[in-house]
Amino acid sequence: GKLFQDLLTSAKAEDGRLTNHPVVVEVSNMLETLTDGLKFAAQKKGLAVEFVLGAPNSVIDASGGNVVKPLYYVLADPDRIREVITNLFDNAVKYTEKGKITLGLTGDGNVVQLRIADTGNGIPAEDVPHLFEKFYRVDSSSTRTVGGTGLGLFICRKIIELYNGRIWVDSVVDKGSTFYINLPRLPAEKAQALMREESANASPLAVK
């Protein structure tokens, strides 16, 4: 079933038929909420999960009172972005036996950058350039014991490219991997104008 679904999704991604409804997305709230939902799978394996906003050591502590967070807007389909992050997070859980998984977010005036880092097996340097190719799987003892279609990262790349973004990985064997996603950042003024437009179009009064 998983293979059939991935084959269908990858075929649609290749010929431009992938369902896609881009709207203004505020990524920090989405990523923090998603982290809360995903963390239980990691915790079952005894892995810690953290959400980091900004510099890699500035961990957001939800119990620490009011925290002023920067707003990172992008124009994308939130379901598709969640699909990518969930895929990367699930992979991190599969290939990490101890330590932690970090979901992070930072950016500048032009780019919003998401990252999913783990302390797992890592990826051999010779495999990294091929990782996002269709059907490519790293051949190692750890991957042989974990199921997969070889399509997940290919689909992730095609989704991110829909939004003029980029996805790549830095990895060291036995130390872990960090997957990065760069998406074009929407200026706050433009994002708010688009949200007002979306809201007006969604209003029942707009039908009149």
Side-chain angles (χ1 to χ4, degrees), residues 83-148:
E83 183 179 343
V84 171
I85 295 165
T86 300
N87 187 299
L88 297 176
F89 186 89
D90 287 348
N91 281 349
V93 173
K94 283 180 189 174
Y95 298 112
T96 304
E97 295 307 317
K98 60 181 180 179
K100 69 179 178 181
I101 297 170
T102 302
L103 286 89
L105 178 66
T106 188
D108 59 22
N110 300 311
V111 170
V112 174
Q113 184 176 94
L114 302 88
R115 63 187 180 276
I116 295 91
D118 63 58
T119 55
N121 302 325
I123 301 159
E126 62 269 21
D127 289 303
V128 168
H130 306 286
L131 210 56
F132 297 93
E133 294 173 5
K134 196 174 183 180
F135 294 120
Y136 191 85
R137 291 197 76 209
V138 176
D139 186 16
S140 69
S141 57
S142 61
T143 59
R144 287 185 212 113
T145 58
V146 176

Side-chain angles (χ1 to χ4, degrees), residues 1 9 18 22 37 57 59 63 75 82 94 109 123 149 160 165 188 203 206:
T9 304
L18 207 56
N57 0 353
V59 180
S63 63
L75 189 63
R82 286 189 201 99
K94 283 180 189 174
I123 301 159
T149 64
I160 295 303
S203 168

Side-chain angles (χ1 to χ4, degrees), residues 8-85:
L8 190 61
T9 304
S10 65
K12 288 180 177 180
E14 284 183 295
D15 62 19
R17 289 182 296 122
L18 207 56
T19 307
N20 175 39
H21 303 291
V23 295
V24 176
V25 179
E26 201 291 290
V27 185
S28 61
N29 281 331
M30 185 192 76
L31 190 59
E32 188 170 10
T33 302
L34 195 52
T35 303
D36 284 339
L38 291 172
K39 65 184 178 185
F40 301 105
Q43 290 170 346
K44 283 180 184 174
K45 284 186 72 173
L47 303 172
V49 177
E50 67 179 11
F51 172 64
V52 178
L53 188 57
N57 0 353
S58 58
V59 180
I60 296 293
D61 181 358
S63 63
N66 294 327
V67 180
V68 178
K69 302 176 185 177
L71 298 175
Y72 294 104
Y73 293 109
V74 299
L75 189 63
D77 186 326
D79 290 335
R80 291 298 178 195
I81 299 301
R82 286 189 201 99
E83 183 179 343
V84 171
I85 295 165

